[in-house]
Amino acid sequence: MKKSPWNENEIEDMLRELPKLKDNRTKEEVMAGIYAKKKKKRSLQLIAGIASLFLMIVFASAIWMGREYEVSQGEQESNRKLSVPESEQSSDYEGRGAKTKENSSEDAQENQALSSKHAQMQSKDEALDIEPFAHGQEKAFAHAIYEDELKHSSAITLGVPDDQMNIIVPISIKLRAFDESDTLNQLVRQMAAIDEKRYGLADYFPLDVSFNEGNDKNTAHIEFQEDSPLLDDGLFLLSMEETLLYHNIEKLIFTTDGKQGARFSHGGFLTKLDIPQYKHRTYLLYQKNESSPRLLVPSTAQYQDFAEALQAGKRQSEINGISPAIPTDLNWERIKSIGNHVTIHLAEDSAFENSEQVLQALEAILFIAKDFGYETVKFENAPIEKVGNLDLTGDIAVPRAPNQMK
Amino acid sequence: MNSNLPLFFYQRRSVVILRMKLDRVTFYTSLTTIFMNGCGEMMNSVFHDLYEKYHQEMYQFIYYMTKNRETAEDLVQEVYIRIMKAYERFEGKSSEKTWMYSIARNVTIDYFRKQKGWKDKIFANFDWNRQSIEDYQPIPEEVAILNEDIQNLYQCLNRCTTNQRSVIILRYIQGMSIAETAEILTWSESKVKTTQHRALKAIKKLLEDLSAKEGSGIEKIPMERKRN
């Protein structure tokens, strides 16, 4: 083996030799810079203040106008009551809508436009097999998708960067069953349809590249245009790795304008990328804010062994929005593995209850196990038999994909 | 004068021009009142004091972290703004110097985060555990005049994770002790040691890769170096 030309002591010496870098500005210039910066900040705050005041006025007047409208509508209806028979007085929403239509043709048009938009949205949701989304009703906790749930359906998982573009969060969507050969088309379709903001993630998809099947079903092919901004995007390859990991694709082949390979500014020139199936990571929680769902997210760090990764699932992170997935009071005494099976013997004093927090922690553990190549997990010495749908009395098969979105 | 415009327009305009002129005249003399907003003379003297004691090393730390002169100049100003805001809350639990460094590091990390947010991936290796390969930041003159090994080493620094880079800069360039580094990063000393070790290993690997790439198979002979 070729001996390295540097040893660590030499590198340490070289580091100490790095030159002193000086700020050539005078003290007064620095102060002037601070002054300008503070002034800029203040004016930005002022603009923000004025903008929010303006918005408040707009909202307040909208509410006021709305009230006036309601009042006038109420008056109109009470006037109508004089001539409308008793049976029609107990009319429902549609009846009232009809009355409004009679009164105002403009309103009628608006209603029509809204209802057609609503219908459009509904048909879009039906096509995607996703329940229509009600704003503000996003579930706080996203379950994993298990293999036995996929008898008559299929799942698509996308690796989406978080709001601050620090980590990749896998998001899974259950669809009507489709053939495995159609996976790439389904992926592209879901990339176009996903509303990342809804989950507190960055608006990342769709991507301006074309996906094609490779020579075999485990290979995908990505074609870039030479000036594609994705080539400068440090998260692109990570997002692809996370996405394709769940769809049995083991290799990505790149071409740029028909030529073999692609030059990534952060990864150099690559003709292909192997997608590792087992990355030995831990799982943590990501939640942008209280109104967005709590999602399981794989760490960027990798760990030597399963026990270390489990322990890391309890650690706090420096990244914004990331918190431990496993509570510190959920403890285990020993971990034993045989082949693809791992047994976790829970400690006597382990805090364990049938709660969403414990369920999500257990799912995190199952995904960590999956990342280490285990297929089944047994929790021994659990004080209760079931947590959510997980039956702790037997072996639990590791889930197919995390963060099912409905 | 355009007769279509009302008279008060000209009156208001002249007031604005007058104020601008006054601003320019009084600009430098009013520098001492920069921190007068709730801070007063005390803040002014605090600035002078901190500037004299730590400005250059703070600037150097941020420069090595960001590898960009303009950014370093801008961020070091932000450090002062934050210090002025937080100065009253400084409890003296840590030394003034480590406190300033902590603020400087936070300012730098916030800057990286913003860059990420704007999808500017110059610092794609910010994500603690990832490494980037390319580096487009120009080499500063002070480094460019040194030998190729040092230049390569400077380039490699950017390819370490942010944590590794912080430790390397604090330990070897700023000359901080393990204890001081741990205090600045609010880590344990053992974490500093481990990160330092990993960083050195990473740099070694990067230097080897770079050497292989540049020499395209020709083994690079390191400079002979006298150990202290």
Side-chain angles (χ1 to χ4, degrees):
Chain A
M1 207 178 120
K2 199 163 69 175
K3 197 177 173 292
S4 168
W6 289 279
N7 64 41
E8 283 181 17
N9 288 333
E10 278 177 328
I11 293 173
E12 283 180 312
D13 287 346
M14 279 162 72
L15 282 167
R16 288 191 189 102
E17 279 181 37
L18 279 166
K20 299 276 171 220
L21 299 176
K22 287 201 163 180
D23 189 351
N24 298 325
R25 296 172 300 168
T26 62
K27 194 196 284 184
E28 284 69 33
E29 280 171 334
V30 174
M31 284 184 89
I34 297 169
Y35 177 69
K37 212 173 160 74
K38 282 187 87 173
K39 209 171 165 188
K40 193 177 157 194
K41 268 191 178 176
R42 239 178 272 144
S43 48
L44 279 174
Q45 280 168 356
L46 192 73
I47 291 167
I50 292 168
S52 52
L53 192 72
F54 174 74
L55 280 174
M56 271 172 70
I57 293 167
V58 170
F59 284 131
S61 60
I63 291 166
W64 184 249
M65 296 281 277
R67 266 192 197 164
E68 272 186 355
Y69 175 75
E70 270 173 32
V71 170
S72 66
Q73 199 181 25
E75 276 170 6
Q76 277 171 9
E77 283 199 14
S78 61
N79 288 341
R80 261 172 191 276
K81 273 181 193 171
L82 295 172
S83 57
V84 174
E86 193 71 26
S87 60
E88 282 183 32
Q89 279 182 28
S90 59
S91 60
D92 58 9
Y93 171 81
E94 282 171 27
R96 245 167 52 194
K99 282 176 210 165
T100 320
K101 273 182 200 168
E102 279 171 28
N103 288 334
S104 156
S105 63
E106 266 179 44
D107 282 354
Q109 277 171 358
E110 203 176 322
N111 280 349
Q112 215 167 12
L114 275 173
S115 62
S116 74
K117 203 172 171 188
H118 180 68
Q120 246 177 14
M121 279 164 72
Q122 255 187 347
S123 69
K124 193 180 169 194
D125 283 337
E126 273 164 15
L128 299 173
D129 211 9
I130 304 169
E131 282 175 28
F133 170 61
H135 281 281
Q137 289 178 4
E138 189 62 69
K139 263 182 78 174
F141 165 49
H143 283 277
I145 297 180
Y146 293 84
E147 211 64 57
D148 55 8
E149 295 170 31
L150 295 174
K151 277 173 193 155
H152 306 292
S153 50
S154 302
I156 281 289
T157 303
L158 297 174
V160 190
D162 75 299
D163 190 50
Q164 297 293 311
M165 309 290 278
N166 282 325
I167 34 153
I168 303 290
V169 184
I171 293 290
S172 304
I173 302 145
K174 221 154 82 175
L175 302 171
R176 287 190 199 97
F178 58 79
D179 194 60
E180 209 176 299
S181 61
D182 197 33
T183 304
L184 279 179
N185 287 334
Q186 290 287 354
L187 264 176
V188 174
R189 225 167 283 156
Q190 293 308 318
M191 281 177 185
I194 191 170
D195 178 8
E196 301 94 325
K197 292 273 172 197
R198 178 176 152 188
Y199 314 124
L201 302 170
D203 184 7
Y204 193 69
F205 293 114
L207 302 172
D208 189 20
V209 284
S210 65
F211 288 87
N212 293 303
E213 268 181 59
N215 295 335
D216 56 75
K217 64 174 184 175
N218 297 333
T219 307
H221 173 250
I222 293 184
E223 165 82 26
F224 293 96
Q225 286 178 348
E226 198 160 349
D227 55 352
S228 172
L230 290 172
L231 294 169
D232 297 323
D233 179 353
L235 289 176
F236 173 72
L237 291 179
L238 294 160
S239 163
M240 285 301 101
E241 271 188 19
E242 191 61 31
T243 301
L244 300 174
L245 174 73
Y246 296 92
H247 302 106
N248 298 326
I249 290 170
E250 291 163 8
K251 200 193 282 180
L252 255 182
I253 309 279
F254 303 113
T255 53
T256 312
D257 288 341
K259 287 178 209 147
Q260 200 183 26
R263 181 165 294 283
F264 295 94
S265 58
H266 303 289
F269 184 77
L270 297 175
T271 53
K272 64 180 176 86
L273 179 75
D274 290 322
I275 314 284
Q277 296 296 303
Y278 308 117
K279 290 179 154 181
H280 295 194
R281 302 169 296 184
T282 192
Y283 273 73
L284 301 159
L285 292 180
Y286 169 75
Q287 189 174 27
K288 190 194 167 193
N289 53 39
E290 280 180 6
S291 60
S292 50
R294 225 167 44 234
L295 304 167
L296 279 176
V297 56
S299 64
T300 47
Q302 296 182 321
Y303 297 89
Q304 290 284 336
D305 58 50
F306 179 55
E308 196 193 336
L310 277 189
Q311 206 56 42
K314 292 182 174 185
R315 257 177 245 148
Q316 291 291 343
S317 168
E318 288 168 307
I319 303 175
N320 237 353
I322 295 287
S323 57
I326 306 171
T328 44
D329 49 6
L330 203 164
N331 299 315
W332 44 88
E333 273 170 9
R334 57 184 177 273
I335 294 162
K336 228 170 38 189
S337 65
I338 305 165
N340 294 333
H341 176 76
V342 64
T343 307
I344 299 167
H345 189 92
L346 297 164
E348 289 295 337
D349 61 343
S350 205
F352 219 84
E353 53 180 13
N354 188 4
S355 68
E356 278 194 347
Q357 194 195 17
V358 172
L359 180 57
Q360 199 154 30
L362 293 184
E363 287 195 337
I365 293 173
L366 293 175
F367 278 109
I368 299 170
K370 188 178 178 168
D371 233 61
F372 278 82
Y374 296 117
E375 287 170 6
T376 49
V377 180
K378 168 90 177 95
F379 292 97
E380 275 182 359
N381 199 30
I384 48 176
E385 291 187 349
K386 273 191 118 182
V387 173
N389 289 331
L390 294 180
D391 181 3
L392 304 180
T393 57
D395 294 350
I396 303 169
V398 295
R400 168 77 170 270
N403 305 328
Q404 181 185 352
M405 288 302 154
K406 286 188 174 169
Chain B
M1 195 186 283
N2 186 342
S3 58
N4 293 330
L5 292 168
L7 183 64
F8 77 87
F9 173 82
Y10 296 99
Q11 286 170 343
R12 288 194 64 172
R13 216 176 120 203
S14 58
V15 168
V16 170
I17 291 167
L18 184 67
R19 282 192 64 176
M20 279 169 72
K21 278 182 181 169
L22 272 173
D23 273 357
R24 210 170 298 159
V25 172
T26 55
F27 182 59
Y28 284 98
T29 51
S30 65
L31 282 178
T32 47
T33 59
I34 284 167
F35 307 111
M36 287 300 273
N37 287 340
C39 304
E41 281 300 320
M42 186 196 79
M43 283 300 148
N44 197 21
S45 71
V46 167
F47 168 76
H48 286 286
D49 187 38
L50 294 177
Y51 181 92
E52 296 301 336
K53 283 199 265 185
Y54 308 116
H55 180 79
Q56 290 302 345
E57 59 178 302
M58 212 55 59
Y59 171 81
Q60 176 173 274
F61 171 72
I62 297 174
Y63 195 154
Y64 271 108
M65 286 294 285
T66 60
K67 297 281 191 79
N68 184 293
R69 189 175 289 279
E70 286 78 33
T71 308
E73 286 177 358
D74 186 49
L75 294 186
V76 84
Q77 286 165 187
E78 179 65 31
V79 171
Y80 284 116
I81 292 174
R82 290 209 195 170
I83 284 174
M84 295 307 160
K85 268 189 195 162
Y87 199 78
E88 283 169 17
R89 293 200 301 273
F90 177 55
E91 293 169 350
K93 281 180 185 167
S94 58
S95 77
E96 199 176 60
K97 186 175 167 184
T98 53
W99 179 64
M100 265 194 92
Y101 267 104
S102 303
I103 292 177
R105 185 171 183 267
N106 289 338
V107 165
T108 315
I109 284 174
D110 286 349
Y111 164 74
F112 288 154
R113 248 179 220 146
K114 270 184 206 158
Q115 293 297 102
K116 281 263 173 190
W118 287 101
K119 302 192 178 183
D120 185 346
K121 300 300 180 310
I122 295 165
F123 297 101
N125 52 344
F126 165 57
D127 196 11
W128 327 107
N129 297 296
R130 285 179 204 141
Q131 291 183 355
S132 67
I133 305 296
E134 304 286 329
D135 182 5
Y136 295 119
Q137 292 293 345
I139 298 180
E141 261 175 57
E142 294 91 328
V143 178
I145 54 166
L146 297 174
N147 68 58
E148 200 185 332
D149 280 351
I150 302 282
Q151 288 181 32
N152 286 345
L153 182 71
Y154 178 83
Q155 297 286 26
C156 289
L157 261 187
N158 233 21
R159 299 167 199 176
C160 295
T161 65
T162 306
N163 280 348
Q164 288 175 346
R165 198 154 77 231
S166 304
V167 171
I168 290 291
I169 295 169
L170 289 169
R171 290 279 293 121
Y172 298 107
I173 302 172
Q174 306 298 103
M176 297 278 180
S177 67
I178 295 264
E180 283 173 320
T181 309
E183 203 179 315
I184 291 165
L185 301 173
T186 57
W187 295 354
S188 66
E189 289 188 17
S190 63
K191 186 174 174 186
V192 173
K193 284 179 198 164
T194 320
T195 312
Q196 178 182 314
H197 179 66
R198 283 191 186 144
L200 290 172
K201 266 177 82 176
I203 290 173
K204 189 178 164 197
K205 171 86 176 41
L206 287 163
L207 280 172
E208 283 164 10
D209 290 350
L210 207 62
S211 155
K213 201 173 156 188
E214 282 174 2
S216 52
I218 303 162
E219 195 173 349
K220 192 165 173 56
I221 302 159
M223 273 177 47
E224 275 191 34
R225 212 171 296 283
K226 210 175 176 182
R227 298 271 304 121
N228 294 331

